Amino acid sequence: MTGSGLARQTRRPFFWRGPLLAALLSLTGASAARAAECTVPAGLAHFHAAMSAIEAGERARPLTVLHLGDSHISLDNFTRGLRARLQARFGDAGRGLMPGIPFRYYAPDGYTLGMTGPWEVFSSLPADASGAFGIQGFRVEAAARDAVMSLEAALPVSSVEIEAYGGPETGALLLRLGEAAPLRLETRQALPGLVRLRVPAAQVRRITLSPAGTGVVRLLGWSLHHAGEGAGARYDSHGIVAATAAVTTRWDAAVVRGQVAALQPDLVIFGYGTNEGFNNGLSIPAYREMVSSLLDRIAAAAPQASFALLGPFDGARQGTGQACQGGWATPPRLDAVRQALKEEAVSRGAFFWDGGEAMGGRCAADDWARLEPPLMHGDRVHLRREGADRLSASLASALMGGEACTPALTITGSSD
């Protein structure tokens, strides 16, 4: 099983706050007008303060974003533009990855992945899912040494961090960095729980991971760090196809708390809602209560983070709902989910971005699917590459405080 992804980007000049403020204030005409548009959006004060601290040279830790959600972020089509814009400004500090290749087509930009041998993949998506899960939503297990996970990185890797679920019966891992001899890393511990292992990597590009044969290993995820000039930006995106926010109730609370506290995100993006909107029987009050509980748990582990709630993109289906054209209709719960997320954002002083409005409102999904070339797949749910690029640019502008504050990029890479 293999997967790979790579995005290339072209940087263009743009204006920013922080140490460039004096220069910005001296601008005249149209440039000064654009600079004046660089405001901190409501709910994103912590996120913008972190960016300013990095720009001023007052912080060495990477700018860090954690984005959780459904199929819209299970691949990098939508998150690519967001990640690329931040890394164009601050540099590429690396990213967190799901364990191995947990589902078909998993191919994060910048890495070529492989997974061979008797690995067993567990997903938190089923309602009866059991065992420990973290923010990645998957767990892979193996005990035999011929279960091998491999990674080739486009950029040199300065360190590797592994997240596993350990306990009295779990075994050791063998980590090989480049051509060096394998390192033995122990996951066994007295009490079951999260194990985090960080190892310097000396600027290697190829990494392999396998059980040492001393017991089962349970991998939750791993992250690759790239050392470069400045603090850099790290954008972790973990999405599960067909997921609703309910999937998070099957994640181990202590594991999630430990992961989020260690990550120290400056911005947490909540990207569920599409699949809930297609559920005619969804209880909106119960849904909002569940979302609020999840956000409370993450906020407790990351008090320094800003929160962004994304209203789901427009969608359509053949069946019940408000009619568009050709038999396609807008699911009746989609707008109600959007409104519930907006109210939740307002109540906790978080940022809200309406993905449906960014597309053009109700029936935009049907319109996008009919364009030549189309911006949406024929299912009227999933974005094509061009549509994802358009929406990621819109969200990036909203997060940054306006187009004048947002790096403009030409992004290329594998198509959807």
Side-chain angles (χ1 to χ4, degrees):
M1 184 183 294
T2 61
S4 66
L6 180 63
R8 297 183 299 278
Q9 57 198 39
T10 302
R11 190 182 308 180
R12 300 176 185 170
F14 68 102
F15 299 107
W16 202 263
R17 301 182 332 277
L20 300 182
L21 182 58
L24 289 175
L25 292 176
S26 68
L27 296 174
T28 60
S31 294
R34 286 194 299 271
E37 296 173 4
C38 296
T39 59
V40 177
L44 297 180
H46 292 300
F47 179 53
H48 279 252
M51 290 192 288
S52 294
I54 291 174
E55 289 176 326
E58 298 169 352
R59 167 173 152 164
R61 186 168 59 83
L63 181 74
T64 302
V65 178
L66 173 62
H67 189 159
L68 303 175
D70 51 31
S71 59
H72 290 301
I73 69 160
S74 60
L75 303 180
D76 273 335
N77 281 349
F78 176 55
T79 57
R80 178 177 293 120
L82 299 163
R83 180 180 290 107
R85 285 174 172 84
L86 287 176
Q87 292 181 344
R89 176 59 188 169
F90 298 102
D92 187 342
R95 65 184 289 183
L97 302 176
M98 291 180 169
I101 305 178
F103 57 87
R104 192 178 182 187
Y105 304 126
Y106 180 60
D109 286 346
Y111 305 94
T112 299
L113 302 173
M115 191 166 72
T116 61
W119 291 104
E120 190 171 4
V121 178
F122 297 88
S123 170
S124 59
L125 182 63
D128 61 351
S130 61
F133 297 99
I135 56 177
Q136 297 88 351
F138 289 91
R139 183 181 75 252
V140 299
E141 298 184 4
R145 293 178 66 124
D146 60 341
V148 179
M149 194 178 294
S150 64
L151 178 146
E152 292 274 358
L155 295 177
V157 176
S158 59
S159 66
V160 180
E161 192 162 23
I162 298 166
E163 292 183 329
Y165 193 79
E169 81 292 353
T170 58
L173 289 162
L174 296 177
L175 175 68
R176 186 170 186 179
L177 304 172
E179 299 304 316
L183 299 171
R184 183 186 176 100
L185 305 174
E186 189 61 66
T187 73
R188 185 167 296 168
Q189 57 185 19
L191 298 176
L194 177 66
V195 175
R196 300 180 65 253
L197 305 163
R198 182 161 182 162
V199 180
Q203 305 302 304
V204 302
R205 292 178 186 263
R206 178 168 175 79
I207 299 166
T208 61
L209 190 64
S210 63
T214 59
V216 65
V217 294
R218 301 186 174 100
L219 299 179
L220 304 177
W222 52 347
S223 57
L224 293 306
H225 307 272
H226 307 302
E229 294 184 7
R234 171 177 174 169
Y235 194 116
D236 289 11
S237 53
H238 302 307
I240 303 175
V241 176
T244 68
V247 73
T248 65
T249 65
R250 295 184 281 278
W251 298 352
D252 185 288
V255 168
V256 170
R257 182 170 60 251
Q259 289 178 311
V260 173
L263 186 61
Q264 295 183 272
D266 299 294
L267 175 64
V268 177
I269 304 178
F270 181 89
Y272 301 97
T274 295
N275 296 302
E276 290 92 326
F278 279 68
N279 177 6
N280 287 5
L282 181 73
S283 166
I284 296 299
Y287 174 69
R288 181 175 169 186
E289 182 178 351
M290 179 179 61
V291 169
S292 184
S293 176
L294 168 65
L295 296 177
D296 284 345
R297 293 196 301 275
I298 296 178
Q304 76 288 339
S306 292
F307 282 79
L309 279 63
L310 309 187
F313 302 131
D314 187 54
R317 66 182 177 193
Q318 293 281 327
T320 59
Q322 294 177 280
C324 293
Q325 57 177 314
W328 292 94
T330 304
R333 283 289 191 270
L334 199 55
D335 191 56
V337 167
R338 218 173 270 128
Q339 184 62 32
L341 291 172
K342 182 177 182 179
E343 291 172 358
E344 180 63 26
V346 170
S347 71
R348 63 176 58 241
F351 175 83
F352 177 77
W353 181 78
D354 190 332
E357 181 180 351
M359 290 179 64
R362 197 178 73 79
C363 294
D366 185 48
D367 294 339
W368 280 31
R370 296 176 188 276
L371 292 174
E372 286 296 337
L375 298 178
M376 206 157 203
H377 286 286
D379 63 3
R380 272 70 170 173
V381 175
H382 295 100
L383 299 164
R384 288 188 176 272
R385 172 64 182 273
E386 295 77 8
D389 284 349
R390 181 180 297 188
L391 289 172
S392 68
S394 175
L395 176 56
S397 176
L399 291 171
M400 297 295 191
E403 292 183 6
C405 313
T406 309
L409 298 172
T410 299
I411 305 170
T412 62
S414 56
S415 61
D416 57 357

